[in-house]
Amino acid sequence: MMSTSPLTTGKSYLLRLEHDGGLIEQITEFCKDKGIRLGRVEAIGAVKTARIGYYNQTTREYQFAQLDQPMEILKLAGNVSLKDGTPMVHAHITLADEEGKAWGGHLAPGTVVFACECLVQELNGDELNRAFDEQTGLPLWKN
């Protein structure tokens, strides 16, 4: 088990993301602009289309689903850490279609915002850097 030193809360930001913009792209750009290197993210709202991933542990590859329909964001939860010295947002999302059926997975680029309210909370503590993990094939925290 890896653990960091205790964290304290830094600045918190409420964002209204832009209509027709990329969901993960906008949050990532905000973190880069504000210099947020460690944090947490959550959001609610709706998307016009979504791209979500499932990591296949056997093949060690993401399998992506393209959902070309309007959907509600029931919950987006994620974190901010560093990959190659740059802020990276890692988030998972749960979406609902018009019948209330849920879809979920790793939030991937290509998810287009209809309307979205987002909380980005900066955390103060040891930076977390992502690097390739041999055991899983994923870029995991390596501090």
Side-chain angles (χ1 to χ4, degrees), residues 89-124:
V89 176
H90 176 210
H92 288 198
I93 193 166
T94 305
L95 302 161
D97 65 18
E98 65 184 2
E99 296 176 2
K101 294 179 184 170
W103 300 79
H106 177 86
L107 178 60
T111 299
V112 178
V113 171
F114 177 77
C116 184
E117 300 167 344
C118 180
L119 168 70
V120 176
Q121 186 174 54
E122 184 177 36
L123 298 172
N124 299 312

Side-chain angles (χ1 to χ4, degrees), residues 2 4-6 10 13-15 29 55 60 68-69 73 109 133:
M2 188 193 97
T4 66
S5 63
Y13 301 89
L14 289 173
L15 317 173
E29 194 58 37
Y55 188 71
R60 293 180 161 207
D68 290 323
Q69 61 182 317
I73 301 171
D133 178 74

Side-chain angles (χ1 to χ4, degrees), residues 3 7 9 11 13 16 34-35 37 42 44-45 54 57-59 62-63 66 77 88 95 104 108 113 119 121 139:
S3 176
L7 302 173
T9 303
K11 294 179 182 176
Y13 301 89
R16 187 183 110 189
K34 293 294 184 185
R37 300 168 65 83
E42 60 182 66
I44 56 173
Y54 167 80
Q57 295 175 20
T58 303
T59 64
Y62 274 99
Q63 299 167 343
Q66 182 68 39
M88 177 190 143
L95 302 161
V113 171
L119 168 70
Q121 186 174 54

Side-chain angles (χ1 to χ4, degrees), residues 20-21 31 38 43 49 55 63 65 67 80 113 138 142:
D20 284 336
C31 291
L38 183 65
T49 63
Y55 188 71
Q63 299 167 343
L67 307 170
V80 182
V113 171
L138 293 166
K142 290 291 189 181

Side-chain angles (χ1 to χ4, degrees), residues 17-31:
L17 301 184
E18 297 212 13
H19 182 83
D20 284 336
L23 180 52
I24 191 88
E25 295 91 339
Q26 289 186 70
I27 299 169
T28 300
E29 194 58 37
F30 179 83
C31 291

